Structures are given as C-alpha cells and as structure tokens.
C-alpha cells in the first residue's frame, strides 16, 4: 500500500487519457464526537500513461483539506488531487425537459378549464334568455287569464337550479385555474434556476501516471462533519452483590449527506466530550428573620389526575428490550485515544437517525457500600466501590441500572481513567432497613430577668441488616450551623463515636460495618439558643 498525502503538484505528462469514474463504496468509518473519518474503496482499470479519474456524488460536509489517497501496488504515481463542485449539463438538460413537460401539461389543463368555462358561460346565457322569455310569456298569459301557475313554478325552479349549478362549476374551475397558474409560475422558476446553474455534484479528481495498463485498488479517506457518537452503559446486577456486569454501548448518529451501509465502524475518543444516587443532604444554617404571619389560604385537594400521576412516577410498565448478541468490539489504545472497532458491520443512515452499537462487557468487582439519609427518606442506596481495570477510560455518559430485566433507574457517570477508582450507584435496596424519629423537641423560655430562648432536640436513627451477610453502611445526618454569632448550637451529642463531621456544613457521617441480622442505633442531640427577640428558622 503506497500512501500519498493530498498536495498540489505541477507536472508535465504525456497526453491525458479520457476521464473515468472510479466506482467506490464506503468501507469503513471512524466516528469522533463531532465528525467522522470516511474511507471509500474502489478499483479501476487504467491504461499506461497519464490518467484522470474521479469519485462523484460526494456530500458537501467534506473537509477538502483532509482528503487522503492510497493506491495498492507499484508502478503508479499521483500528481494532483482536487475536490470541487461541478454542474452536470446532461443531467440539467434532462431535468429541464422534465419541467418543460410538466409546464406543458399544466398549461393544457388551464386551456381545458378555460374552454369548459366558455361553454358554461354560453349555457348560462342560454338559461338567462329562456328565463327572460318565460317571464315575458307569463305577463301575457296573466293578462289573458290563462296562466298555469304550477307549470310556471316548475320551469322557473329548473332554470334557477341549472343557473346556480353552472355558476358553481365555473367558480370551482376558476379556483383550479388559479392554482394551476401558481404551479406554472413555480415550475418556470425552477426551470430558470436549473438552466442558469445546472445540477451540482461534488467530486474528488485524481490525476497521475500509470507505468502499465492494469487494474488498481484505490482508498480515499476524508473527514466529514455532522457525525457524532456518545457512550451509554448498562449495569446488570447479579446475585453476587459484589460482582456486576457493565456493558458499553455507543449511540451513533450522522447527517453527513451520505449513508453508511454495512461499514466497518470504529468509535474514537480522540476528541472526547442523575436517579439512583442517594440524596445529598443540604447544610442547615440558622439565621434571624422578621416574622410575618402567613396569609390563610383555603385548603385545596390534589386533583385526581395529578394524584394519579404522582402514584405512577418512577414506575416502569415493561422491561427494556434486550439487544441481540453481538461479539465485543476490539479495543485499541494509542498515545492519543482509545478506539472501539465493532466486529459486525453497521449501517448508519444520514439524517440524524440514532443507532446503538454494542461495544464491550466488563465484569465489575468491588466493595458494596450502602448509603442512607434517614432524615430525608427511609431508603438505603447501594453502591459498589471499584476500579477501572480496563485499558480504556469510562467516558461521561448515562448509566442504566437493571436487576435481571427489571429497570431500576439511571444516572450520569463522569470520566474514569484506567486504574482510577470510582463508585457506581445501583439504586435503593430492601435488604437494609433504616429509621428516623424525632424523640424530643423541648422549648425552654427565657427567665423573668432575661436570658435566651432555648430549644432542645433529640433524634434517633437506626439501621437494620435483614440478611445474613455483613455490609458497610454510611448513615448521614446533620447538625444545624449558625450564620449569626448570637445563635448558638451547644451540647452536641452524637452516638456512636467514630463519626465524621464537617464543621462548615454540619453534615455528619457514620461509616459502620453491620453484621448479618444486626441492628445499629444512632443518636443526634443538640441545643439551639438565641435572643428572645429573634425568630429563628427551626
């Protein structure tokens, strides 16, 4: 394979042979995050001497500076490769003739309707003459007292109906004639545009010299814009809670202007680009505020339709459709990127119609961790702490979590480099139970001689392992944090010991190893004190 980078060369050759088309087909495509490298392959028989060949019907999305040509074999030299737009006269003439035929047919229809209207007008004139004659005869018969009222009525009714019917047909014909003339104007405009510039076609012209008459295989590569791919992932939970399968997929779409039919597809990361997570507990900041009574409002019941939607929220009617089995993609790493080469041929039509391509499956092993925020909800969220053991990075994308065929939820994952530790969120589980209860909220009024208001708070929390396996659980709660020096949080008591506390946010974390069937209890107590003229958000 001899490779020639696209350059402009000025050479003097023997007389040029006839221009020939190089029949080609897209064989492979490498997709980046906003463009694609397209490779076309084709063979052509060349005579000895100077030649010029071309590839036609190319899209406008090509970056002409990226065009690169390879030729298999020896005895051939390339001199010049040019990408340009041409106007096809023969195609233009065919299109112009077709439009002229359309215009002639439209004009024939207009003439036919005009002729029909002329005949209808004559009919109307005749009916009017008959009506005038009947009315004149009626006057004479009336004076002679020989008038037949019934016959006269029938005659005048018939004439009136025929006149109305005929005039309606003429009116409908006039509307049709107007629409036909609009179509004729449009076709004339098209004819003017086509004959003035012809049909556009983008081509790559290749000039060179062949040392002998033979058939050569060409490979032409170019960058085409408006092509995209993004990673998605599927996590399948198993009975072994410390081992899961993670499938990598690529969502591919393109609008380059040419279809990729049965191509060898590669997804490259060289231009790289929430749910099932436990809730994030916000800090509780204390402050003084001016008290304003809330206006009384009438209670309003939740609309039945809204209540129904609330009950449905998060429900999944049916299991997701499973993908047919496909062999995993080959993963190739270089100094600049990681590439996934799909084993099966793929078809991605132009038009931004998304295609999902299976890449690889990785077994993920790690440590199960359970996180609970009982103050916010009595659920326990599972996580697995693991490491990216693969040679490819995990790119940012959506992760869908399944247990068997049951969809649990999804979240967005950030980029994880090879060898880097990360945490997968796996959604709520029912084999660890947590509880939260306000045990005491006591108000202590200031004394007669002055003093501060005080509120004593006591909360109890618990976590119970319903299985026989031992787990690590993180229980999260908070202590209020004052933003005012006159508001004090005192007598803090947290049980058990071994917690982590962030003094800036007041967030408290207990990380506990909980044995099978065991229960761990927690206490959170504190006193809030502030001046008696303060109104604090308790």
């Amino acid at each position: 394979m001899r490779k020639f980078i696209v350059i402009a060369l000025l050479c003097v050759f023997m007389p040029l042979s006839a221009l020939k088309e190089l029949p080609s087909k897209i064989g492979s495509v490498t997709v980046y995050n906003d463009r694609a490298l397209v490779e076309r392959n084709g063979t052509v028989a060349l005579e000895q001497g100077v030649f010029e060949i071309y590839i036609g019907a190319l899209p406008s999305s090509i970056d002409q500076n990226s065009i690169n040509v390879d030729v298999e074999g020896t005895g051939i030299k390339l001199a010049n490769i040019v990408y340009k737009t041409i106007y096809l006269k023969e195609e233009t003439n065919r299109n112009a003739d077709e439009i002229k035929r359309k215009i002639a047919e439209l004009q024939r229809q207009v003439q036919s309707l005009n002729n029909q209207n002329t005949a209808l007008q004559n009919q109307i004139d005749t009916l009017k003459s008959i009506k005038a004659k009947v009315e004149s005869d009626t006057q004479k018969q009336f004076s002679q007292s020989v008038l037949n009222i019934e016959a006269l009525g029938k005659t005048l009714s018939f004439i009136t109906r025929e006149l109305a019917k005929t005039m309606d047909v003429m009116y409908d014909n006039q509307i049709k004639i107007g629409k036909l003339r609009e179509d004729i104007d449009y076709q004339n405009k098209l004819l003017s545009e086509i004959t003035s510039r012809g049909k556009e076609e983008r081509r790559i012209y290749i000039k060179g010299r062949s040392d002998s008459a033979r058939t050569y295989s060409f490979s032409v590569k170019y960058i085409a814009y408006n092509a995209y791919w993004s990673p998605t992932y599927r996590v399948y939970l198993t009975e072994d809670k410390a081992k899961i399968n993670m499938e990598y997929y690529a969502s591919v779409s393109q609008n380059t202007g040419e279809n990729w039919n049965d191509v060898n597809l590669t997804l490259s990361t060289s231009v790289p680009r929430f749910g099932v997570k436990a809730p994030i507990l916000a800090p509780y900041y204390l402050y003084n505020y001016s008290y304003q009574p809330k206006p009384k409002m009438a209670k309003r019941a939740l609309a039945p339709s809204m209540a129904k939607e609330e009950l449905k929220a998060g429900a999944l009617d049916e299991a997701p459709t499973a993908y047919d089995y496909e062999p995993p993609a080959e993963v190739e790493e270089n100094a600049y990127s990681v590439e996934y080469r799909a084993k099966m041929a793929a078809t991605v039509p132009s038009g931004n119609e998304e295609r999902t391509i299976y890449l690889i499956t990785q077994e993920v092993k790690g440590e199960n961790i359970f996180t609970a925020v009982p103050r916010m909800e009595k659920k326990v969220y599972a996580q697995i702490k693991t490491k990216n053991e693969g040679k490819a990075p995990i790119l940012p994308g959506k992760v869908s979590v399944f247990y068997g065929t049951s969809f649990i939820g999804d979240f967005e994952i950030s980029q994880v480099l090879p060898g880097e530790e990360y945490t997968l969120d796996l959604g709520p589980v029912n084999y660890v139970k947590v509880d939260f209860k306000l045990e005491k909220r006591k108000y202590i009024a200031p004394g007669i001689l002055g003093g501060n208001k005080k509120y004593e708070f006591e909360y109890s929390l618990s976590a119970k392992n319903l299985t026989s396996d031992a787990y690590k659980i993180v229980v999260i709660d908070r202590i209020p944090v004052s933003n005012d020096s006159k508001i004090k949080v005192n007598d803090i008591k947290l049980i058990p010991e071994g917690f982590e506390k962030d003094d800036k946010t007041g967030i408290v974390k207990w990380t506990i190893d909980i044995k099978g069937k065991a229960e761990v209890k927690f206490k959170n107590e504190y006193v809030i004190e502030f001046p008696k003229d303060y109104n604090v958000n308790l």
Side-chain angles (χ1 to χ4, degrees):
M1 179 74 71
R2 300 189 61 189
K3 186 175 183 179
F4 301 90
I5 304 299
V6 177
I7 56 174
L9 299 176
L10 296 176
C11 300
V12 178
F13 289 111
M14 297 180 293
L16 188 65
S17 62
L19 179 65
K20 298 184 67 173
E21 182 177 6
L22 169 60
S24 65
K25 181 181 183 297
I26 298 177
S28 64
V29 178
T30 300
V31 186
Y32 305 97
N33 74 330
D34 64 346
R35 67 199 71 185
L37 176 63
V38 179
E39 181 179 2
R40 282 182 169 270
N41 301 301
T43 59
V44 64
L46 298 177
E47 300 295 329
Q48 182 179 5
V50 178
F51 67 86
E52 183 178 21
I53 57 177
Y54 74 91
I55 298 176
L58 295 171
S60 60
S61 60
I62 290 178
D63 183 344
Q64 59 183 336
N65 296 318
S66 69
I67 300 172
N68 184 64
V69 179
D70 293 343
V71 186
E72 187 178 67
T74 59
I76 187 170
K77 293 181 180 178
L78 299 186
N80 194 22
I81 295 94
V82 177
Y83 173 75
K84 63 180 180 180
T85 301
I86 65 163
Y87 300 99
L88 303 178
K89 193 64 179 176
E90 181 181 349
E91 184 69 24
T92 298
N93 292 338
R94 283 201 299 269
N95 290 342
D97 290 342
E98 179 62 28
I99 292 175
K100 288 176 182 177
R101 283 193 291 272
K102 287 183 180 179
I103 293 173
E105 173 60 23
L106 293 170
Q107 289 173 337
R108 187 197 64 77
Q109 294 178 31
V110 169
Q111 186 60 46
S112 175
L113 290 171
N114 281 330
N115 293 340
Q116 187 178 352
N117 277 355
T118 300
L120 290 170
Q121 185 61 52
N122 293 334
Q123 185 177 338
I124 289 172
D125 293 341
T126 301
L127 288 170
K128 285 182 177 179
S129 298
I130 294 172
K131 184 179 180 183
K133 181 70 169 57
V134 169
E135 289 174 344
S136 175
D137 292 345
T138 299
Q139 292 293 333
K140 293 178 182 178
Q141 293 173 7
F142 182 76
S143 62
Q144 298 172 1
S145 301
V146 294
L147 181 64
N148 187 334
I149 300 297
E150 183 178 353
L152 177 63
K154 289 181 178 180
T155 301
L156 289 176
S157 296
F158 171 77
I159 293 172
T160 302
R161 286 197 304 271
E162 288 301 310
L163 278 172
K165 187 189 301 183
T166 305
M167 293 176 72
D168 285 344
V169 173
M170 284 189 68
Y171 178 75
D172 290 342
N173 286 348
Q174 286 300 122
I175 293 176
K176 291 177 182 178
I177 289 170
K179 291 181 177 179
L180 288 169
R181 284 175 175 165
E182 288 179 0
D183 200 359
I184 290 171
D185 291 341
Y186 174 73
Q187 295 297 332
N188 279 322
K189 184 179 178 181
L190 284 182
L191 181 62
S192 176
E193 290 178 354
I194 288 177
T195 54
S196 65
R197 63 175 176 81
K199 179 187 175 183
E200 290 185 359
E201 181 176 284
R202 291 165 181 82
R203 293 179 174 179
I204 294 175
Y205 288 88
I206 305 169
K207 292 182 180 180
R209 184 175 63 189
S210 173
D211 292 344
S212 60
R214 55 165 290 190
T215 298
Y216 291 95
S217 295
F218 283 79
S219 171
V220 179
K221 297 180 182 179
Y222 50 82
I223 290 291
Y225 293 99
N226 302 320
Y228 315 92
W229 84 277
S230 60
T232 60
Y233 308 91
R234 288 188 166 207
V235 169
Y236 290 93
L237 308 183
T238 65
E239 292 297 327
D240 184 352
K241 301 179 183 66
K243 184 181 77 173
I244 62 176
N245 291 325
M246 185 171 179
E247 294 181 354
Y248 292 45
Y249 291 87
S251 294
V252 185
S253 62
Q254 59 103 351
N255 196 22
T256 62
E258 56 186 1
N259 296 326
W260 304 340
N261 295 320
D262 295 326
V263 301
N264 296 320
L265 194 64
T266 299
L267 296 314
S268 177
T269 65
S270 64
V271 189
R273 19 175 247 62
F274 274 48
V276 298
K277 288 190 174 183
I280 299 173
L281 187 62
Y284 178 18
Y285 297 108
L286 301 175
Y287 55 87
N288 181 37
Y289 66 93
S290 298
Y291 177 72
Q292 293 181 348
K294 292 184 180 180
K296 292 184 178 180
M297 298 179 66
K299 292 184 179 180
R300 184 180 62 175
L302 187 66
S305 60
M306 187 182 298
K308 189 175 180 181
E309 289 299 319
E310 290 291 335
L311 290 173
K312 281 186 175 180
L316 188 71
D317 294 333
E318 58 184 24
T321 303
Y323 285 91
D324 293 335
Y325 173 77
E326 296 181 37
E330 292 181 356
V331 183
E332 183 175 318
E333 185 179 12
N334 56 47
Y336 302 99
S337 67
V338 175
E339 294 184 344
Y340 299 93
R341 301 184 189 278
K343 287 286 188 68
M344 298 182 69
T347 295
V348 184
S350 184
N352 286 327
E353 184 178 344
E354 193 170 272
R355 289 287 191 269
T356 300
I357 309 296
Y358 169 69
L359 299 180
I360 60 174
T361 298
Q362 283 193 347
E363 185 178 278
V364 179
K365 294 182 179 180
E367 179 186 15
N368 278 112
I369 299 175
F370 298 95
T371 301
V373 189
R375 183 182 291 268
M376 294 185 69
E377 57 183 355
K378 295 178 181 181
K379 292 182 180 179
V380 177
Y381 288 81
Q383 298 172 314
I384 187 167
K385 187 175 181 181
T386 184
K387 180 187 290 188
N388 183 4
E389 301 287 359
K391 59 182 181 180
I394 298 173
L395 300 177
K398 179 177 286 187
V399 181
S400 299
V401 182
F402 296 84
Y403 188 84
T405 58
S406 299
F407 176 73
I408 297 175
D410 53 42
F411 68 98
E412 296 288 334
I413 193 170
S414 302
Q415 178 167 291
V416 183
L417 299 177
E420 187 177 358
E421 290 187 348
Y422 67 102
T423 300
L424 278 177
D425 296 283
L426 306 178
V429 295
N430 57 12
Y431 39 86
V432 178
K433 180 182 178 181
V434 294
D435 197 13
F436 176 84
K437 186 185 296 184
L438 172 62
E439 300 288 356
K440 181 172 72 173
R441 186 183 191 273
K442 181 179 179 182
Y443 170 62
I444 302 174
I448 298 176
L449 299 178
N452 291 330
K453 295 179 181 177
K454 291 184 180 179
Y455 282 86
E456 294 181 355
F457 290 91
E458 180 182 331
Y459 299 94
S460 64
L461 303 86
S462 64
K464 185 174 183 179
N465 185 351
L466 303 179
T467 74
S468 301
D469 299 323
Y471 297 119
K472 179 176 287 185
I473 186 169
V474 178
V475 177
I476 301 174
D477 201 26
R478 68 185 178 194
I479 298 292
V481 178
S482 175
N483 280 335
D484 188 316
S485 60
K486 294 183 180 180
I487 302 175
K488 308 290 186 183
V489 181
N490 300 318
D491 301 331
I492 298 172
K493 186 177 181 182
L494 298 169
I495 300 174
E497 296 289 341
F499 55 83
E500 298 177 24
K501 178 175 174 293
D502 188 324
D503 292 332
K504 291 183 179 180
T505 64
I507 300 299
V508 179
K509 291 183 182 180
W510 286 276
T511 302
I512 301 291
D513 290 318
I514 182 170
K515 296 180 179 179
K517 303 296 184 180
E519 182 177 14
V520 179
K521 295 187 177 182
F522 307 84
K523 285 285 187 182
N524 182 0
E525 301 177 13
Y526 51 83
V527 177
I528 300 175
E529 182 178 349
F530 50 88
K532 62 182 180 180
D533 59 342
Y534 267 39
N535 295 301
V536 178
N537 57 312
L538 298 178

